[in-house]
């Protein structure tokens, strides 16, 4: 990486960027021309998330393409990927619902031998990114509401269903950092009154799509975990909560018992 230009560092620092030196290095190594670098520094100083300015986010060792206005994959979500990869078997059908830029699906496609990955999101801008990130012959990306756009042939065949749904309670959106509040779409953040509206819908639909013995994994917060777990159980899945203190991450892992009525 180039030596960070001190003028850019001080501009970013004045704009409130805590890691101004690191960010300057990344911007300098990503821009292809001085004019492009100027434009990128302007956008970052104006408050756009660094990843939207760079055009990519690092996630599970991959560069995930992220366009302006699309949710930036968070490092904490790598914990969900790790849990899912440990449960997946070679050749599994993997579904990434609410896929955003497709970071989880792309990481699982890279981690799981011969996986067939299907990713879907309701936001056209996110789907445009996901089509570029979940792009191997193993990857399929759809636009639409939750399960609606998935091909019917996947019913009862999904080995691992993952979802990082919006889970911020509506009343707490205003407390998010400005980068999220202003530059990520509301549909990516707002999980309804208690933050669990979308999670409940995903859990309710899961037994129809999971293969017998299949797993559902959804990221949530520590505070929401007991209610999220109850939603999994209400839908007929067994459910456990897994947490990582290092990544400040919580995931509910559900299991469809082979003998359950959803078989
Ligand atoms: C928190 S973001 C997570 C994105 C991605 N999974 C990740 O971890 O980077 C939630 C995503 O859910 C999508 N979403 C919200 N409601 C949805 C719905 N009803 N059907 C499909 N996608 C939805 C949003 O567009 C957004 O991309």
């Amino acid at each position: 990486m180039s030596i960070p230009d001190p003028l850019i560092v001080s501009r970013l620092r004045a704009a409130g960027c805590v890691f101004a030196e690191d960010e300057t290095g990344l911007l300098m190594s990503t821009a292809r021309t001085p004019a492009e670098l100027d434009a990128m520094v302007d956008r970052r100083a104006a408050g756009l998330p660094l990843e939207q300015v760079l055009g990519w986010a690092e996630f599970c060792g991959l560069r995930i393409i992220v366009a302006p206005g699309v949710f930036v994959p968070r490092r904490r979500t790598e914990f969900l990927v790790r849990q899912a990869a440990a449960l997946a078997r070679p050749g599994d059908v993997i579904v990434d619902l609410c896929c955003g830029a497709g970071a989880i699906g792309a990481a699982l496609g890279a981690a799981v031998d011969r996986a067939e990955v299907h990713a879907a999101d309701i936001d056209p801008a996110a789907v445009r990114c996901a089509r570029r990130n979940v792009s191997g012959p193993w990857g399929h990306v759809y636009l639409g509401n939750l399960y609606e756009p998935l091909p019917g042939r996947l019913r009862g065949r999904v080995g691992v269903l993952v979802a990082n749904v919006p889970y911020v309670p509506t009343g707490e959106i205003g407390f998010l950092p400005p980068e999220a509040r202003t530059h990520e779409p509301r549909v990516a953040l707002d999980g309804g009154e208690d933050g669990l509206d979308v999670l409940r819908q995903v859990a309710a639909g899961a037994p129809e799509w999971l293969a017998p013995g299949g797993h559902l994994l959804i990221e949530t917060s520590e505070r929401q975990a007991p209610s999220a777990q109850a939603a999994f159980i209400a839908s007929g899945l067994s459910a456990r909560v897994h947490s990582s203190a290092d990544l400040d991450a919580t995931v509910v892992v559900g299991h469809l018992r082979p003998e359950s009525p959803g078989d």
Side-chain angles (χ1 to χ4, degrees):
M1 206 186 290
S2 344
I3 297 169
D5 179 332
L7 289 175
I8 300 179
V9 174
S10 48
R11 173 119 191 259
L12 293 186
R13 200 164 278 144
C17 300
V18 179
F19 303 105
E21 288 218 356
D22 293 346
E23 293 197 7
T24 301
L26 283 167
L27 291 169
M28 289 174 64
S29 56
T30 300
R32 285 159 301 187
T33 63
E36 191 176 23
L37 179 60
D38 284 349
M40 288 170 99
V41 172
D42 285 348
R43 291 205 298 277
R44 181 62 184 135
L48 252 79
L50 175 68
E51 294 82 353
Q52 290 181 359
V53 175
L54 292 171
W56 54 271
E58 194 186 327
F59 185 81
C60 291
L62 302 175
R63 272 196 181 192
I64 299 296
I65 295 164
V66 182
V70 171
F71 183 88
V72 176
R74 309 295 203 259
R75 292 308 282 265
R76 75 157 58 85
T77 304
E78 295 186 356
F79 183 62
L80 170 63
V81 171
R82 263 189 248 152
Q83 302 287 314
L87 292 168
R89 289 161 310 180
D92 257 353
V93 172
I94 294 175
V95 167
D96 177 7
L97 280 191
C98 297
C99 69
I104 303 171
L108 288 173
V112 179
D113 193 28
R114 292 180 285 110
E116 178 185 326
V117 177
H118 298 262
D121 199 282
I122 202 164
D123 174 5
V127 165
R128 278 195 293 277
C129 290
R131 292 213 158 104
R132 297 174 67 192
N133 292 315
V134 185
S135 61
W138 46 268
H140 313 268
V141 179
Y142 315 93
L143 173 67
N145 182 35
L146 299 181
Y147 297 95
E148 282 170 19
L150 296 179
R153 67 179 173 81
L154 298 184
R155 278 201 181 80
R157 287 192 50 224
V158 179
V160 175
L161 175 51
V162 288
N164 180 20
V165 301
Y167 60 88
V168 181
T170 306
E172 294 176 20
I173 299 275
F175 303 124
L176 291 174
E179 285 184 2
R181 214 177 343 114
T182 316
H183 297 288
E184 292 182 322
R186 179 104 184 185
V187 70
L189 306 169
D190 191 344
E193 191 176 345
D194 68 352
L196 295 171
D197 283 2
V198 186
L199 179 143
R200 280 192 205 94
Q201 293 176 58
V202 173
E208 184 185 338
W209 293 87
L210 286 176
H215 291 88
L216 168 67
L217 298 95
I218 308 188
E219 181 176 301
T220 186
S221 69
E222 198 181 343
R223 174 165 54 103
Q224 293 165 320
S227 306
Q229 190 177 19
F232 275 47
I233 291 165
S235 77
L237 304 174
S238 64
R240 297 179 61 178
V241 176
H242 296 254
S243 305
S244 160
D246 288 353
L247 287 172
D248 183 26
T250 303
V251 170
V252 185
V253 180
H255 180 231
L256 181 65
R257 283 177 297 274
E259 73 279 11
S260 83
D263 285 359

